[in-house]
Amino acid sequence: MRIGVVGVGSMGQNHARVLDQMGCLSGVVDSKIDRAKKTGKKHGVPYHTSVKDLLSMEPDAVTVATPANTHVELCKEIIESGTAVMVEKPMAISLDKAKELVNFADEADVLLAVGMIERHNPVVTSTKKLLEEGDAGDVITISSKRVSSFPTRVADMGVIHDLAIHDVDVMRYLVGDEPERVFALGGPANQGKYEDHANIMLYFPGGITGVLEVNWLTPHKVRSLSLTCSKDFIEIDYIAQSLVVTSSRLLEYDTSNLFDIPLEHNIRKYTVNVRSH
C-alpha cells in the first residue's frame, strides 16, 4: 500500500515513522514548508504543503494528523477523491461535526477510520483475550488513570478529548457494550480556555461501572487501568507494557482469631513484548 500523511507535527511524525518502517509511506503534507521538507527528506518521500498535491500521487490511503478543528474539512477533501482516510482522534470538535463526517463518508462509500491507538495496544488486546477466555470471571468495575503535565502540542481541545477519549474507548471495548449513563465533573484549574482535569463515571448494562481520572496537572505521567472481576484483579501499566493478574484463596482459619485471616495470593505478571517492524 501507499499511504500519505497530512500534518507532520508531534503525532504526524509518529505516523510517518511507522509507515516508513512498514515500507508504505508515499508522501507527507504540512502547511509549514520547513516541517514538510524536513520530514519528507528524512524518510525519502515527496513533501507538499497542499493535500491536493498529495492526492495527485493517487495514494491508497491518507492519515490526517492535523489540529482537530481542521479534521472535517481535510477528510472531506480526501474522501471526495475516493481515497480511504484515517483521522487522528478526536475526529471532530463536536458530535454534530463527527456525525456529518461519518455520513459524508457513508454516502461516498469511502472508508473512514479513527486512530484510537490504545484499542490496539498489546496490553489491552491481551486483557481482552483474558476476559474472553473467562478465567478472570465477570467484569465488575474498571478504573483508569491517565494523568501528566500539560502537553504543549495541544492547543484546540481539553483533556477529555485528548486523554479521556482513549479510556472511554478501551472500557467500551473490554466490556463489549455501550454505557447507559455518564457522569462527569471537571474544569480548568489553571484558568485556561479548556478543561485540564476531569473525573468521569460510566454505567454499563448489567451494573458494570467505569471510573476515569484524567488531568494535565500531575508532574509525572501515569497511564494505568485496572479491572475488578469476580475471580481476578487485573492491572495494566501502559508505559511499562505490563499486565498483572492477581487472585486469592481463603485458607482454613481459626474462628477465634478473625484478626488473622490467611489468604493465599496468586500473582501472575506478564510483560508484553512489542515486535518492531
Side-chain angles (χ1 to χ4, degrees), residues 90-221:
M91 66 188 298
I93 57 174
S94 71
L95 180 60
D96 287 342
K97 284 293 183 182
K99 288 180 177 179
E100 177 186 323
L101 183 55
V102 169
N103 291 335
F104 189 84
D106 284 343
E107 291 172 5
D109 195 24
V110 172
L111 179 64
L112 168 67
V114 184
M116 302 299 298
I117 191 170
E118 295 289 34
R119 172 78 73 95
H120 307 283
N121 192 309
V123 291
V124 173
T125 53
S126 296
T127 300
K128 180 68 170 178
K129 183 179 179 182
L130 282 174
L131 295 175
E132 289 176 341
E133 290 173 348
D135 293 338
D138 298 326
V139 177
I140 300 171
T141 65
I142 309 179
S143 177
S144 70
K145 184 185 289 286
R146 191 174 291 266
V147 300
S148 60
S149 55
F150 181 74
T152 55
R153 63 177 175 78
V154 179
D156 62 342
M157 70 183 80
V159 72
I160 292 176
H161 275 119
D162 186 55
L163 297 185
I165 191 171
H166 282 302
D167 294 305
V168 170
D169 183 63
V170 168
M171 288 185 185
R172 291 168 56 245
Y173 174 58
L174 294 177
V175 171
D177 215 332
E178 300 292 337
E180 295 177 333
R181 282 175 277 170
V182 179
F183 308 90
L185 290 171
N190 288 326
Q191 304 302 311
K193 183 178 179 181
Y194 302 100
E195 80 284 349
D196 53 22
H197 67 96
N199 287 276
I200 303 169
M201 177 177 284
L202 309 177
Y203 184 85
F204 290 92
I208 300 172
T209 57
V211 179
L212 297 76
E213 178 187 358
V214 291
N215 73 49
W216 285 328
L217 307 172
T218 306
H220 65 281
K221 181 185 286 189

Side-chain angles (χ1 to χ4, degrees), residues 50-55 71-83 85 101 104:
S50 125
V51 174
K52 183 178 180 180
D53 290 337
L54 177 66
L55 293 174
H71 286 176
V72 173
E73 180 182 350
L74 289 171
C75 287
K76 282 185 174 181
E77 182 179 354
I78 296 165
I79 290 168
E80 281 181 332
S81 74
T83 307
V85 59
L101 183 55
F104 189 84

